[in-house]
Amino acid sequence: MSGLELVSKNRCFGGEVRKYSHSSAATNCKMTFNIFLPDAAISGTEKVPVLYYLSGLTCNEDNMVTKGGAIPFVSKHRIALVTPDTSPRGAGVDGEEGDWELGTGAGFYVDATEEPWKTNYNMYSYVQLELQQLVNESFSVDCTRASIFGHSMGGHGALVLALRNPGHYKSVSAFAPICHPTTSNWGRKQFAAYLGSNESDWVEYDATELLKVYDGPELPILVDQGDADQFYSSKQLQPSHLVVAAECNRRLIKLETRMQPGYDHSYWFIQTFMEDHIDFHAKKLREQN
């Protein structure tokens, strides 16, 4: 099965949660991911839509399937859910351990161009190209009906992947995403390390800047942000910048942002609004073209 090694398999909500590992050409190391497959996909009676979820800083492929609360809702809609890791693991890159904002658990969904990162830290290509090819070849999923969402750093990644690949995703959503990384500490630090000092090279990984110039099919976007989020208060997330950019491109970008009173940056927040996000994607994934 395309070099995939089954690590574990568990029955859950009318389907299975499976963990796979494989050797990655993009990251030059072994990578792992989880996939929830509804029974229709396991039996092969239906090619089901597929939803990708990208996690945030310090997280891995397990956070969503163990804490996010998505599985009963994707099962209801017969959607496969794929949750990759957030970075290479054990690549032996100097400096990848010891700083929770850089290196292990902090790949930022970019393709690094700088030493010592560029050999392994290519999470953009890993998620957009390699992982999706593996999923499409190995499971009964319909790659023409794909959507993507994420949290924090993963929300940034989901927005960037959707905006840079017009027409590839039916919809994109995010919980407390890093919206304008070229102007926040969560972004500038990592981009300088991974991409170098030329800030013009950073723009292709900045959702706010990409949104301004997006020129593809209409793209529905849903963003939820908690007003008690410490990283919102410290200006790391900047959802208002995304809103202003969307106003410049209202013909193609259909952005809904929701400020949620009292919610923080945790998975308690994510769980609370997960059903809304799955329903949002299911509507787009099940629409007849």
Side-chain angles (χ1 to χ4, degrees), residues 33-36 50-54 80-84 131 135 149:
F33 68 91
N34 293 309
I35 183 168
F36 170 77
V50 58
L51 179 59
Y52 291 87
Y53 175 83
L54 306 185
L81 174 67
V82 181
T83 65
L131 175 64
V135 169
F149 69 148

Side-chain angles (χ1 to χ4, degrees), residues 138-246:
S138 304
F139 306 104
S140 185
V141 300
D142 181 356
C143 64
T144 68
R145 292 184 294 159
S147 290
I148 192 166
F149 69 148
H151 170 231
S152 193
M153 177 186 74
H156 139 77
L159 290 165
V160 166
L161 265 66
L163 290 164
R164 284 185 56 177
N165 295 277
H168 186 86
Y169 301 101
K170 298 295 186 183
S171 52
V172 56
S173 73
F175 301 95
I178 303 169
C179 294
H180 204 179
T182 60
T183 67
S184 68
N185 289 333
W186 271 359
R188 294 187 61 81
K189 173 182 177 177
Q190 293 81 5
F191 288 179
Y194 295 144
L195 304 175
S197 59
N198 185 352
E199 296 188 18
S200 63
D201 294 335
W202 301 0
V203 173
E204 63 180 338
Y205 296 108
D206 187 311
T208 293
E209 300 304 322
L210 291 169
L211 195 150
K212 294 175 184 177
V213 298
Y214 176 81
D215 186 21
E218 182 178 292
L219 182 61
I221 304 174
L222 172 63
V223 172
D224 273 312
Q225 174 64 61
D227 71 0
D229 185 330
Q230 62 177 312
F231 303 111
Y232 168 68
S233 301
S234 62
K235 310 297 184 185
Q236 300 280 46
L237 306 176
Q238 305 180 110
S240 62
H241 294 203
L242 201 69
V243 172
V244 171

Side-chain angles (χ1 to χ4, degrees), residues 1 3-10 17-23 30-35 61-62 139:
M1 188 183 282
L4 293 180
E5 178 183 346
L6 180 64
V7 176
S8 63
K9 179 173 67 172
N10 298 94
V17 175
R18 300 179 182 180
K19 182 187 290 289
Y20 288 95
S21 67
H22 67 98
S23 296
K30 182 170 280 192
M31 298 294 291
T32 56
F33 68 91
N34 293 309
I35 183 168
E61 73 277 7
D62 292 332
F139 306 104

